[in-house]
Amino acid sequence: MPPLLFYFFALITLGFGFMVVTGRNPVTCALSLAASFVGLAALFLSLDAYFIGVIQILVYAGAVMVLFLFIIMLLDIKTEEGKKLNLPAIVSGVLLAVFLTLQIFMVAGSTDLAGKTAATAPLALAEASAKIGKAALPTITKDLKAGELPDAKLIGFTLFDQYGFHLQVIGLLLLVGTIGVVVLSKRERSPAP
């Protein structure tokens, strides 16, 4: 990808991310978040991470955003727009963002990951197939021996083989959170006796 396109998609991601934080209308914030996800997916595609880019569009910009919009529609949007700005919260958020940025630069500056490229650090796929052994699916071992990187198969294998219980717990927590939001929004809308 040309550097100009990289900066363009990075600007889209950061700009719409800023609008998510500063927007007053929750629907506008949710749509800005979807646009930020699209820019992020384009950055993943530019890094040849096609699986992550497609999943970014399908899961986050699609399913998760529909869930967000569904929950926002259950809330009272007009009261959110009428709220005043909370200056201590804004100052705390800016300080936290500055601290996080400084920490990222310190961690990135202390490692030599930025100097590695595909030419200087090639993937050792044959060694990886030997390490996985018989635990992996035959198709994964076959692809690794052929010199191809089956990233989607490896991610699926890792998620469902090593982290299956964790995935089920996360799914249960999301379900409980969604039901809790629906119950709380109905309780707030019910008229006082």
Side-chain angles (χ1 to χ4, degrees):
M1 171 182 283
L4 186 63
L5 278 179
F6 174 81
Y7 289 119
F8 175 71
F9 288 122
L11 191 63
I12 286 178
T13 304
L14 292 176
F16 281 106
F18 183 75
M19 288 177 63
V20 171
V21 178
T22 59
R24 304 300 304 268
N25 189 338
V27 175
T28 304
C29 293
L31 294 176
S32 299
L33 185 61
S36 178
F37 284 158
V38 171
L40 189 61
L43 290 176
F44 281 133
L45 293 177
S46 72
L47 295 172
D48 294 334
Y50 300 108
F51 177 72
I52 301 295
V54 171
I55 289 298
Q56 181 78 24
I57 294 287
L58 291 179
V59 175
Y60 289 102
V64 172
M65 288 312 305
V66 169
L67 180 65
F68 280 2
L69 287 174
F70 175 72
I71 293 172
I72 287 171
M73 292 300 178
L74 291 175
L75 302 175
D76 191 7
I77 296 175
K78 291 180 180 177
T79 57
E80 293 294 327
E81 289 178 341
K83 286 186 177 178
K84 293 181 180 179
L85 292 177
N86 187 357
L87 188 59
I90 292 174
V91 172
S92 301
V94 169
L95 287 177
L96 188 63
V98 170
F99 177 72
L100 181 63
T101 304
L102 288 175
Q103 190 173 16
I104 289 173
F105 277 112
M106 288 176 60
V107 171
S110 64
T111 62
D112 57 345
L113 291 177
K116 291 185 177 180
T117 63
T120 59
L123 296 174
L125 298 178
E127 295 174 4
S129 69
K131 285 183 181 177
I132 289 180
K134 295 181 181 178
L137 297 173
T139 56
I140 294 176
T141 308
K142 182 180 175 184
D143 289 344
L144 289 173
K145 286 182 179 176
E148 297 175 1
L149 183 61
D151 52 353
K153 294 176 186 175
L154 286 173
I155 290 173
F157 174 73
T158 304
L159 281 177
F160 291 105
D161 186 64
Q162 298 179 9
Y163 302 106
F165 177 73
H166 303 88
L167 274 177
Q168 292 178 2
V169 170
I170 290 171
L172 186 63
L173 286 175
L174 287 174
L175 179 64
V176 169
T178 305
I179 292 173
V181 167
V182 171
V183 170
L184 288 175
S185 67
K186 284 188 177 180
R187 183 179 300 172
E188 288 180 359
R189 286 186 175 191
S190 60

